[in-house]
Amino acid sequence: MGSDRTPRADPDLQARVDALAARLRFSLETGHIWLGEQRMLLMHGAAIAALRKELFDSLGVDRARGVLLRMGFASGARDAAWARELYPEASETELLGIGPMLHTIEGIVRARPDTMTMNVAKGIFHGEFTWESSFEADVHYQLYGMATGPCCWMQVGYASGYSSTLMGRFILFKETQCHAAGARDCHIVGRPAAEWPDAAELLKYFEPDSVADHILRLQEEVQNLRSSIDDDARSDNLVGQSASFRQARELMQRAASSQVSVLLLGETGVGKEMFARALHNASPRATAPFITMNCAALPEQLIEAELFGVEKGAFTGAHQSRPGRFERAHWGTLFLDEVAELSASAQAKLLRVLQEGELERIGDVHTRKVDVRLVAATNVDLERAVEQGRFRKDLYYRLNVYPVVIPPLRERKDDIPQLVQLFVERFSARHSKKVPGVTDQALHALCRYDWPGNVRELENVIERGVILAPAGGRIDLSHLFPSISAGSGRHRTTGLARDGTVLRRDEDLVNAFLDYVLEKKVSLDDVETILLAAAVERAGGNLSSAARTLGMTRPQLAYRLKKRETAG
């Protein structure tokens, strides 16, 4: 049933307010505040003010306005539903009058009805209210000074939500004057949304807008942009504060401004290419090309063509002329990894380029000048290689002008937590997955392990952990080492016990391996296959390095691998 009237002054208004206030009760035993059957919260006004400021600063005025309007709308809608339950016999207009009372009891504003016309059946609504002592206006003025327009958005949302719930259709309130903008009091007017000419512009603030999703999307975009830049090309990714690592980094930085060739020494996986990139970026050649080449990754007959270039027709398959790595690195830096794997012929030509600054492409008679800074790297003892006749003495002296030894990860374990966090952030961005970090147990295990594969092995383990960890959850030990055997309690490749304890002694590792072999009844051929595959994996596919690990030559390893492929 509808009513259509503007109420006179209600002599029982104070009695109704008192009756509503009497329903407010506190339960110290359970920590609850109740208004009727609704749980309420008593909060510091300063906390709400801080939240308002953070919304403005983080989301901007437009989005903050929408959040506050929707918060108020939800509160008003809930109060209207409760008022209808509390007074089932009251008319629509009487229920509408309870809204300002509740707003007053809740400490938001002293609301005074000026005009209320309401008929649910006919869809008629018109309401005007005056707000005195508006909390929202006071807070906005304290934070930002005099406002340029109305800003009691949460309160406007409340009035809209309360009225819309009673009417069964959207009632849109607008604040026509505001105390924060200089008016004595605030004033609001409410009508059905269709009656406002600018309704479409105003209603957009009431539409759902997942702020959290928006922020997460922005964070993911930033992370993806960050990861799209070559992380290794930035010197600030030389993460570590241990004494040995700082010494290596300082040596690299001192050489950056000069043109001296640098020889990076260290085990496989310590980050030699990362150091080379950092050296290049800190040098005057930073804007020129940085070209890399792994000398062990190419067949011997192609190494010279890759380094020095080739002319069309120089050999079968040379269908067109192309520059080599030296020419592509002109004015920049060339990084030669595994330089000890160069053939005798390639070593001689490399020495000439370093001494004369010129080269000839294969199959060409013309000399080409190049200005290239060389950074070489190896995990081989070059001095011993010279004694064994595997490396030219004059080239060794030419490369060894400025050696920098990069320490293995087992000698800089204090840097592991920093490296772990760096890799977690990098791979979280790469795999579009939010992973905050690793558990304490996992970090404890990571810091105690000796890392024979060095930083590269740690990087691979963390990437696996990011992939296996649940979204939003931390990486646990089981995510880092999923192949931990439930029966033996040992990790088959890393030497980790199930509780994260590291099996440090060689005999522990041997016994763990023997337990596995005997338990699974593995044949000797299969044992050899496991060792060969593990060595190649540890060496990152580098057969020369894998062969040295197994105490054999590269051809011997290649023969055994090929034999197994043929047998398979």
Side-chain angles (χ1 to χ4, degrees), residues 266-279:
E267 298 175 5
T268 297
V270 293
K272 295 188 283 290
E273 183 175 346
M274 180 179 66
F275 264 76
R277 287 182 181 275
L279 176 67

Side-chain angles (χ1 to χ4, degrees), residues 409-445:
L409 189 54
R410 63 180 174 274
E411 294 179 6
R412 44 180 294 229
K413 290 190 174 181
D414 290 345
D415 298 335
I416 288 178
Q418 279 184 281
L419 289 167
V420 167
Q421 190 58 39
L422 173 69
F423 295 147
V424 167
E425 292 174 359
R426 178 183 300 174
F427 293 122
S428 293
R430 179 177 298 177
H431 297 290
S432 300
K433 191 173 184 180
K434 186 172 179 58
V435 177
V438 302
T439 64
D440 291 341
Q441 182 189 32
L443 184 60
H444 174 72

Side-chain angles (χ1 to χ4, degrees), residues 128-148:
E128 296 189 26
F129 300 82
T130 296
W131 283 339
E132 300 172 359
S133 304
S134 167
F135 167 76
E136 202 169 3
D138 290 344
V139 163
H140 194 93
Y141 183 81
Q142 291 167 10
L143 290 174
Y144 303 106
M146 186 70 71
T148 57

